[in-house]
Amino acid sequence: MENRSEAEASPYKSLVAAVSYGIASMAMVFINKAILMQYGHSMTLLTLQQLATALLIHFGRQMGYTRARGVDMETAKKLLPVSLFYNANVAFALASLKGVNIPMYIAIKRLTPLAVLIAGFSSGKGKPTTQVTLSVLSIAAGVIIAALGDFSFDLWGYGMALTSVFFQTMYLVLVERSGAEDGLSSIEIMFYNSFLSLPFLIFLIITTGEFPNSLALLFAKSNSLSFLVILVISLVMGIVLNFTMFLCTIVNSALTTTIVGVLKGVGSTTLGFVILGGVEVHALNVTGLVINTAGGVWYSYAKYQQKMSKPPKQVSDVEAHR
């Protein structure tokens, strides 16, 4: 079964899932920047990405390219909170950018691993190992130190960003539970998330006034080949990013996914310094990033040790012959 192989992933598959998500997530930062420089309607772009994802999986299932099951209303009801938290995370994240500069936004969002750790412990998942706890705290400390080098306070923006962290935490924890407890594959969760997101997103772009202006601008820019290429790449990478994110969360954990996101943020920031230039680097920024990265490497090592120390799962004769 597809979902069985994901839930019982080997260390190699876990590593591949994490690295793939990191690469896709980092690439998406620059792709989104490129498309938004020409097309500023971010919510419409997100709607198009979700629509493309839902259609691709639907037709892929119809043509036999994937074993993902069709829509089940009971499953849809269970995953509705996942979709709501996902869209709330995106909405509050976009709102926070109106009052918080990008370095501080990234710093605040990097607090998600700590929130996931607390949420997992509170929900009875069990106490993490000392190394895992200390590594996540190191990441959080690095974020705070780095943020002190470029600190500007906006109460509204900070509130929106922290609310986004909360919704992202709940979203990732729910994704992890849905994959492990309900036996859903990453493709199935991705389909339900896209399918359930569309009504909310369509309502959002209408009430915020993006539609129909965003659609008119999209048609106007469709004459540009370069814009169409970037748009198609953005839609494809949106699908790839969602798939690798769900896969990483299922075969690893919600905490691992957020740690990869933290390291991606470090990589994106570093590439931004190199590619874009013109950004003043403070000692606190560098110190914080070093601590942040070291914490991520420490966490990866701790989780690898933890995974390798687990005894292999005994498979019954019935399961072995399924």
Side-chain angles (χ1 to χ4, degrees), residues 113-129 133 169 173 177 255:
L114 182 59
V116 170
L117 195 67
I118 295 173
F121 179 72
S122 301
S123 62
K125 188 176 180 180
K127 184 179 179 181
T129 64
T133 302
T169 300
V173 171
R177 288 186 175 183
L255 184 57

Side-chain angles (χ1 to χ4, degrees), residues 189-201:
I189 295 181
M190 185 168 64
F191 174 74
Y192 277 105
N193 182 64
S194 300
F195 176 75
L196 295 172
S197 294
L198 287 174
F200 176 82
L201 290 173

Side-chain angles (χ1 to χ4, degrees), residues 32-292:
N32 277 339
K33 182 175 179 62
I35 187 68
L36 289 174
M37 287 176 64
Q38 301 186 49
Y39 186 75
H41 299 289
S42 57
M43 296 307 298
T44 301
L45 181 63
L46 178 61
T47 304
L48 291 175
Q49 290 175 345
Q50 296 289 30
L51 179 61
T53 301
L55 290 176
L56 179 65
I57 296 176
H58 172 71
F59 287 114
R61 183 174 60 83
Q62 293 292 327
M63 293 184 290
Y65 289 114
T66 176
R67 291 177 290 176
R69 291 165 289 186
V71 177
D72 177 74
M73 291 308 298
E74 288 299 319
T75 303
K77 290 178 182 178
K78 292 180 181 179
L79 289 178
L80 181 59
V82 173
S83 179
L84 292 178
F85 281 127
Y86 172 86
N87 288 284
N89 166 43
V90 174
F92 279 101
L94 291 173
S96 70
L97 286 172
K98 296 179 181 179
V100 178
N101 59 56
I102 291 178
M104 275 308 306
Y105 166 77
I106 294 175
I108 294 173
K109 291 291 285 183
R110 284 177 185 159
L111 295 175
T112 305
L114 182 59
V116 170
L117 195 67
I118 295 173
F121 179 72
S122 301
S123 62
K125 188 176 180 180
K127 184 179 179 181
T129 64
T130 302
Q131 286 200 64
V132 169
T133 302
L134 291 178
S135 62
V136 173
L137 290 176
S138 298
I139 290 173
V143 168
I144 295 173
I145 293 172
L148 291 175
D150 187 15
F151 196 85
S152 59
F153 185 78
D154 183 283
L155 182 60
W156 171 260
Y158 274 58
M160 294 295 100
L162 290 172
T163 305
S164 175
V165 168
F166 167 77
F167 282 118
Q168 184 178 5
T169 300
M170 298 305 299
Y171 159 70
L172 288 171
V173 171
L174 283 174
V175 167
E176 183 180 357
R177 288 186 175 183
S178 298
E181 296 180 6
D182 297 337
L184 295 173
S185 69
S186 54
I187 293 180
E188 288 168 341
I189 295 181
M190 185 168 64
F191 174 74
Y192 277 105
N193 182 64
S194 300
F195 176 75
L196 295 172
S197 294
L198 287 174
F200 176 82
L201 290 173
I202 292 173
F203 172 78
L204 197 61
I205 62 176
I206 293 176
T207 54
T208 56
E210 276 200 19
F211 182 85
N213 294 333
S214 59
L215 190 61
L217 180 61
L218 185 64
F219 283 125
K221 285 187 169 291
S222 61
N223 294 325
S224 171
L225 179 60
S226 61
F227 173 77
L228 288 178
V229 170
I230 297 175
L231 178 62
V232 171
I233 293 176
S234 173
L235 295 178
V236 172
M237 284 305 300
I239 297 172
V240 173
L241 176 61
N242 281 333
F243 173 75
T244 55
M245 178 182 64
F246 286 123
L247 181 63
C248 181
T249 303
I250 291 175
V251 302
N252 292 296
S253 67
L255 184 57
T256 298
T257 303
T258 55
I259 292 293
V260 174
V262 167
L263 296 179
K264 175 269 301 182
V266 174
S268 299
T269 303
T270 304
L271 287 176
F273 284 140
V274 175
I275 296 175
L276 301 178
V279 180
E280 185 179 356
V281 180
H282 298 279
L284 284 175
N285 291 129
V286 176
T287 303
L289 288 176
V290 169
I291 295 174
N292 183 281

Side-chain angles (χ1 to χ4, degrees), residues 295-318:
V297 174
W298 185 8
Y299 168 80
S300 301
Y301 176 73
K303 292 297 289 184
Y304 178 78
Q305 277 192 324
Q306 184 178 337
K307 195 174 189 70
M308 294 302 293
S309 64
K310 288 183 179 180
K313 183 178 179 180
Q314 298 295 324
V315 181
S316 65
D317 291 339
V318 176

